[in-house]
Amino acid sequence: SACSNARAFGVRAAMPMGRARALCPDAVIVKPDGRKYAKAGKQVRGLMEQTTPAVEPVSIDEAFLDLSGTQRAHNATPAQTLARLAARIADQVGITVSVGLSYNKSLAKIASDFNKPKGFVVIGRDDAQDFLNPKPVRIIWGVGPAQERRLHAAGLRTVGDIAARSPEDMRELFGGMGTKLAHLARGEDNRQVNTARHQAKSASSSTTFGSDHADFETLKSLLWGQCETLARRLKRADLGGRSITLILKSSNFKVQTRSKTIPDPTQLAEVIFQAVLPKLLEAADGTKFRLIGVRVSDMVP
């Protein structure tokens, strides 16, 4: 099979916003617009699903596509099909994507992370080991900083170092994760593209303030804005929920939540707001807050 990992270009925060402000107090901060992200993500997802019905979403800007059996339908190779998809996304959505094409999900993921923001990398079966061997262990999908340190401590710094060890040796060193790493280092990954759609268990909206607030009326106004935002998301997803939770973070970063269960599921801003407003009144005892949000769970269509 041929899998691809198409990823919309974006910027990810490298540190908490509070620390960034402290280090660079004169920085001009542009707030993200979640609605634009969601709209673009939905457009990209639609174009993916026009290319193949086998699409596995990973996040708002990332997905796997299984292109097995599509060559006749598109009269094109998988690489040509993905090149056309990238061009359509650029033309219709106005963003670039990075594409990784390979014979399994792990390698497709690795390939998609190269040459951003407009990369197109193909890893063939015959070339996979030569491609992987000199790369640092961190390139393997699922290896984070802690696992990287453990591998380094064992003298394993490149993917080739891991591939040279037997799965049994790796299991002795790292348990079940070691066996998994041994296979991934050899370009072996039998996971299929999973097209099953999972209904969201909850939805939320929150905002962090530029300065801390303790005044009830100010917090009330900010809460209403988050209820409106959350209601729009629920309506777009055709979902409602019965459990409604107020989320507050104080100036010392302590998070508190207060929940209320209502008789009937809702997606209406006013119902959400009225459910948690008494909770806000209880919490507004002079404590200064830096974040307010609301979450709806116990979801139903």
Side-chain angles (χ1 to χ4, degrees), residues 225-245:
Q226 297 312 303
C227 291
E228 286 188 308
T229 299
L230 179 55
R232 286 194 294 269
R233 292 176 183 172
L234 291 170
K235 290 172 183 176
R236 284 198 299 267
D238 292 324
L239 293 171
R242 297 184 182 90
S243 180
I244 304 173
T245 302

Side-chain angles (χ1 to χ4, degrees), residues 4-43:
S4 74
N5 176 292
R7 192 181 186 112
F9 174 63
V11 178
R12 297 188 177 188
M15 66 176 68
M17 183 59 72
R19 186 179 173 208
R21 286 180 183 273
L23 292 172
C24 190
D26 296 327
V28 176
I29 298 169
V30 181
K31 293 183 66 176
D33 188 334
R35 289 174 295 181
K36 289 184 179 179
Y37 283 110
K39 180 181 179 181
K42 187 174 182 180
Q43 288 176 291

Side-chain angles (χ1 to χ4, degrees), residues 132-301:
L132 289 171
N133 280 345
K135 301 296 188 296
V137 293
R138 186 68 181 272
I139 200 175
I140 298 176
W141 191 11
V143 174
Q147 185 67 56
E148 181 183 39
R149 287 192 294 270
R150 288 191 287 268
L151 290 166
H152 285 181
L156 305 172
R157 293 190 167 272
T158 68
V159 179
D161 292 337
I162 298 175
R165 298 287 190 97
S166 69
E168 292 75 21
D169 287 344
M170 290 295 294
R171 184 175 183 83
E172 284 188 16
L173 289 169
F174 303 104
M177 183 62 179
T179 304
K180 179 181 178 181
L181 290 172
H183 288 295
L184 294 178
R186 291 172 169 79
E188 300 167 356
D189 183 7
N190 295 323
R191 290 172 294 181
Q192 300 298 307
V193 171
N194 182 7
T195 59
R197 295 179 181 272
H198 302 286
Q199 181 176 306
K201 295 181 180 180
S202 67
S204 63
S205 178
S206 63
T207 183
T208 301
F209 317 140
S211 57
D212 298 341
H213 293 299
D215 177 64
F216 172 73
E217 291 300 324
T218 300
L219 292 169
K220 177 181 175 182
S221 176
L222 292 165
L223 176 63
W224 171 248
Q226 297 312 303
C227 291
E228 286 188 308
T229 299
L230 179 55
R232 286 194 294 269
R233 292 176 183 172
L234 291 170
K235 290 172 183 176
R236 284 198 299 267
D238 292 324
L239 293 171
R242 297 184 182 90
S243 180
I244 304 173
T245 302
L246 172 69
I247 305 167
L248 293 164
K249 182 186 289 185
S250 62
S251 56
N252 62 0
F253 294 92
K254 183 179 179 181
V255 177
Q256 58 175 284
T257 58
R258 303 181 182 219
S259 300
K260 177 180 177 62
T261 299
I262 59 177
D264 300 308
T266 188
Q267 56 179 199
L268 301 179
E270 181 63 27
V271 176
I272 297 169
F273 180 69
Q274 292 299 332
V276 292
L277 187 58
K279 306 295 183 183
L280 177 62
L281 186 58
E282 294 172 5
D285 57 1
T287 301
K288 290 186 176 181
F289 295 105
R290 61 183 296 108
L291 175 147
I292 193 168
V294 64
R295 179 173 63 242
V296 170
S297 54
D298 190 12
M299 307 276 269
V300 296

